[in-house]
Amino acid sequence: MSDIKILVVDDSIVTRETLESYFAAEGYTVSGAETAEEAELRLSEETFDLILLDIRLPGKDGLTLTRELRTRSEVGIILVTGKQDEIDRIIGLECGADEYVSKPFNAREILARGKNLIRRVRKQRELEKKPADEPVLRAIGTWQLDTARRVLIKSDRSESQLTEGECQLLLALKTHEGTALTRDQLMDRIKNRTWNATDRTIDVLIGRIRRKLSEDPLCPQVIVTVHGVGYLLSSVAENSAPEEGVCESL
């Protein structure tokens, strides 16, 4: 496991050294950074599999760093914070974090979550290195979903990367295209969850997918909200302008 690299970003030397020593004792190669700016320097020099990232940092905060990292990397990110705030957790997921842990934390719990994330990150990197087979593409509105690489492909061939949770959620909707699924049904279809999914978590993931599909947030046409039920993937392929009153009726 010494080839697996973990970066701990926390301005508390006690927290940082606690996590560094715990993961190092498990055989991982661990580095530390006190600020987001220091972390960015380390990330420009090395490839890491997992980042344990404090939200409250001097200068650039952890949420901003998470958002920036997620635009260019699928590195595993576990946010660590001293606040027991549901809003912080939701914002962290919206920014692209994979997991969220509140202080005081159990180091064994973070280790278990970290191992799951590292496996997923490594698996994704292996897929990206393999010679490309004929991709399995599924139509999502005017986009194509490449399930092997977890990317959405636009008609101009530009791509948008999905997280594992986003991909699983989109596949669940695609499998039941045209049928509304409740949030409970969607939660059951997200595999290998180490975080506790809630109704709000599903809403956050749906919002992230819609943004990647370039949907109009006031009247989405691909992933439709069915009030009182949940969500459905529209069977209409074109993102044409809705008829008057359509959005209000759903």
Side-chain angles (χ1 to χ4, degrees):
M1 290 189 296
S2 60
D3 64 326
I4 295 176
K5 293 184 178 181
I6 298 172
L7 180 61
V8 180
V9 188
D10 200 303
D11 62 331
S12 166
I13 188 170
V14 174
T15 300
R16 195 167 65 248
E17 290 185 349
T18 297
L19 289 171
E20 286 182 38
S21 60
Y22 192 84
F23 276 85
E26 293 291 325
Y28 297 99
T29 298
V30 190
S31 301
E34 187 175 355
T35 65
E37 290 77 11
E38 185 182 346
E40 288 175 319
L41 179 60
R42 298 300 302 269
L43 288 162
S44 69
E45 298 171 341
E46 301 178 60
T47 299
F48 289 90
D49 300 281
L50 175 66
I51 302 176
L52 305 176
L53 178 59
D54 186 23
I55 287 182
R56 309 297 176 188
L57 293 171
K60 182 184 294 185
D61 63 35
L63 293 176
T64 301
L65 180 57
T66 298
R67 188 182 299 110
E68 292 173 354
L69 285 174
R70 198 49 86 216
T71 63
R72 62 181 187 271
S73 172
E74 283 304 299
V75 63
I77 300 175
I78 298 179
L79 290 179
V80 183
T81 180
K83 296 189 68 175
Q84 301 279 344
D85 193 335
E86 176 77 4
I87 298 301
D88 268 359
R89 186 180 69 82
I90 290 169
I91 293 174
L93 292 174
E94 287 178 334
C95 290
D98 298 285
E99 304 281 353
Y100 186 99
V101 177
S102 297
K103 300 176 185 176
F105 53 78
N106 184 308
R108 288 184 62 85
E109 178 188 357
I110 295 182
L111 177 64
R113 295 183 183 218
K115 284 181 176 178
N116 285 334
L117 270 179
I118 289 166
R119 279 195 293 268
R120 280 152 42 188
V121 169
R122 285 290 176 107
K123 181 179 179 181
Q124 183 62 25
R125 288 176 181 167
E126 289 172 3
L127 287 173
E128 291 172 355
K129 289 179 181 177
K130 289 181 179 179
D133 297 326
E134 191 67 26
V136 177
L137 302 178
R138 303 192 183 200
I140 306 291
T142 59
W143 296 69
Q144 296 287 325
L145 172 62
D146 184 335
T147 57
R149 295 190 298 128
R150 294 205 324 256
V151 294
L152 286 166
I153 306 171
K154 203 173 182 179
S155 55
D156 63 4
R157 309 311 296 171
S158 62
E159 297 182 352
S160 182
Q161 185 71 52
L162 296 171
T163 65
E164 185 175 13
E166 291 167 356
C167 188
Q168 289 180 4
L169 195 56
L170 201 46
L171 277 174
L173 290 168
K174 179 62 180 177
T175 302
H176 299 83
E177 187 171 0
T179 300
L181 296 178
T182 67
R183 290 171 177 82
D184 285 341
Q185 289 174 319
L186 291 171
M187 281 188 282
D188 289 341
R189 284 163 175 77
I190 299 179
K191 302 175 183 176
N192 301 322
R193 289 186 283 108
T194 55
W195 36 268
N196 294 320
T198 65
D199 287 0
R200 182 60 178 137
T201 304
I202 297 299
D203 295 339
V204 167
L205 292 175
I206 291 291
R208 278 167 35 181
I209 296 169
R210 281 172 169 168
R211 286 193 293 273
K212 293 178 180 181
L213 290 169
S214 303
E215 290 233 72
D216 179 355
L218 298 179
C219 191
Q221 296 298 295
V222 180
I223 300 178
V224 181
T225 301
V226 182
H227 295 298
V229 182
Y231 298 100
L232 69 80
L233 183 69
S234 173
S235 57
V236 179
E238 294 79 20
N239 286 330
S240 56
E243 298 180 5
E244 184 177 359
V246 167
C247 292
E248 290 78 5
S249 66
L250 292 174

